[in-house]
Amino acid sequence: MTSQAEFNYNRIAKAIAFIQEHFQEQPSLGEIAETIHVSPYHFQRLFTEWAGVSPKKFMQYISVEHAKQLLKQKGTTLADAAWETGFSGTGRLHDLFVGIEGMTPGEFKNGGENLHINYSFAESPFGKMIVASTEKGICHMSFMEDAQLAFNELKSRFPNAQYQQLLDKHQQDGLFIFQHDWSKLDQIKLHLNGTPFQLKVWETLLKIPMGSLVTYGDIAQKIEKPNASRAVGTAIGNNPVAFLIPCHRVIQSTGKIGGYMWGNTRKTAIIGWEAAQTDTHPEA
């Protein structure tokens, strides 16, 4: 059964896809509302409740021009200060810390046969999710359309692990990030299987402030591998933890959104939503 939250996000996603496709035409509120078969008044209310800003303001957030302005503010390569403040610089995430621990060879031996993994299904502002964790932290978090397919994807990462459908503390902490008051959020712990290069890229992504955008080249510069943009892109594409490791904040140097494992419309939705959360002077 489709929940109201999922139904609303699906309508929002359809509207965002239409906005993306027709952005240059600057579609009217009525034209956008017509695509999801609601009145302009109802669409304005639905969209504003979800995003925190009007559809008109949201269109500005997801424009190439807006992305270019954000990239220009940071310069060709990001200043260390901008990275080091990371989450703490946003105010809303003052007490949020995300820590990554790499899996040892023994933990991942024989497809994870030594791992006990809890998993659960949840809802987010951007659709349904599956989240899984070991005793050390979250090991997988993904947007999903179908629960069985999502579980099969998880099992393909750790084919020999032991699984139990259970919502534990690690998962609760990770999912709490979608709440608006994060001041009392415990540390989020991630327990990931990756190469040293992948782990370094993922740790670097954690330092991108919410509401900011960077390029693949910026990440390569930050990890002191300036010629490794393509390898950085591959590592980002293998990110096993959606949203918590914010690969959605990495875009093309042209200002275009670029690819996303969980769909470009969802990436656009997240970028616009985060911009609205961090804008100190949003317009209705």
Side-chain angles (χ1 to χ4, degrees), residues 3-79:
S3 69
Q4 187 62 45
E6 181 186 357
F7 180 66
N8 286 345
Y9 172 70
N10 288 338
R11 291 195 293 181
I12 292 294
K14 187 174 181 180
I16 289 173
F18 178 82
I19 291 172
Q20 278 186 299
E21 186 177 351
H22 300 277
F23 181 82
Q24 291 184 330
E25 303 163 23
Q26 290 292 294
S28 67
L29 186 68
E31 289 172 326
I32 303 172
E34 188 176 351
T35 66
I36 61 171
H37 310 294
V38 298
S39 69
Y41 170 79
H42 184 67
F43 173 67
Q44 175 90 3
R45 186 179 65 179
L46 173 69
F47 197 98
T48 303
E49 286 177 355
W50 177 83
V53 294
S54 67
K56 180 180 179 181
K57 184 68 173 178
F58 191 89
M59 279 195 288
Q60 296 174 12
Y61 288 146
I62 64 174
S63 71
V64 171
E65 289 74 18
H66 178 71
K68 285 181 177 179
Q69 287 179 356
L70 289 178
L71 295 177
K72 187 176 181 181
Q73 288 172 6
K74 299 294 185 295
T76 304
T77 57
L78 297 180

Side-chain angles (χ1 to χ4, degrees), residues 120-124 127-131 141-142 144 167 175 178:
S120 61
F121 302 102
E123 291 185 349
S124 79
K128 294 186 294 185
M129 305 192 81
I130 183 173
V131 56
M141 189 168 176
S142 177
M144 67 177 196
L167 176 65
L175 292 169
F178 294 110

Side-chain angles (χ1 to χ4, degrees), residues 64-137:
V64 171
E65 289 74 18
H66 178 71
K68 285 181 177 179
Q69 287 179 356
L70 289 178
L71 295 177
K72 187 176 181 181
Q73 288 172 6
K74 299 294 185 295
T76 304
T77 57
L78 297 180
D80 285 343
W83 286 87
E84 296 310 323
T85 54
F87 283 117
S88 63
T90 68
R92 288 182 171 85
L93 288 168
H94 181 72
D95 294 319
L96 174 60
F97 303 94
V98 181
I100 292 179
E101 178 177 338
M103 289 185 182
T104 66
E107 289 168 330
F108 193 65
K109 183 180 179 181
N110 296 329
E113 68 176 6
N114 295 322
L115 292 175
H116 295 262
I117 296 177
N118 297 328
Y119 70 95
S120 61
F121 302 102
E123 291 185 349
S124 79
F126 316 107
K128 294 186 294 185
M129 305 192 81
I130 183 173
V131 56
S133 54
T134 68
E135 62 180 7
K136 293 184 178 180

Side-chain angles (χ1 to χ4, degrees), residues 77-240:
T77 57
L78 297 180
D80 285 343
W83 286 87
E84 296 310 323
T85 54
F87 283 117
S88 63
T90 68
R92 288 182 171 85
L93 288 168
H94 181 72
D95 294 319
L96 174 60
F97 303 94
V98 181
I100 292 179
E101 178 177 338
M103 289 185 182
T104 66
E107 289 168 330
F108 193 65
K109 183 180 179 181
N110 296 329
E113 68 176 6
N114 295 322
L115 292 175
H116 295 262
I117 296 177
N118 297 328
Y119 70 95
S120 61
F121 302 102
E123 291 185 349
S124 79
F126 316 107
K128 294 186 294 185
M129 305 192 81
I130 183 173
V131 56
S133 54
T134 68
E135 62 180 7
K136 293 184 178 180
I138 292 173
C139 62
H140 180 82
M141 189 168 176
S142 177
F143 295 106
M144 67 177 196
E145 303 300 329
D146 179 89
Q148 186 60 53
L149 290 178
F151 180 62
N152 290 344
E153 179 193 356
L154 169 63
K155 287 188 69 175
S156 71
R157 289 181 177 270
F158 309 99
N160 297 323
Q162 298 180 48
Y163 291 91
Q164 179 180 11
Q165 186 169 349
L166 175 69
L167 176 65
D168 61 25
K169 183 66 164 56
H170 290 307
Q171 297 168 33
Q172 289 177 324
D173 287 340
L175 292 169
F176 198 70
I177 195 173
F178 294 110
Q179 303 299 317
H180 291 284
D181 180 10
W182 299 331
S183 60
K184 297 181 180 179
L185 183 61
D186 289 342
Q187 183 182 29
I188 296 174
K189 297 179 180 179
L190 308 182
H191 188 209
L192 307 180
N193 176 52
T195 67
F197 181 83
Q198 288 175 324
L199 292 172
K200 192 170 185 179
V201 170
W202 298 339
E203 287 173 344
T204 304
L205 295 179
L206 293 176
K207 297 180 180 179
I208 306 172
M210 183 178 179
S212 295
L213 300 173
V214 304
T215 69
Y216 297 95
D218 289 331
I219 302 292
Q221 290 282 353
K222 183 59 185 177
I223 64 173
E224 299 181 349
K225 301 284 186 182
N227 298 319
S229 293
R230 187 179 297 273
V232 164
T234 300
I236 289 174
N238 289 324
N239 171 23

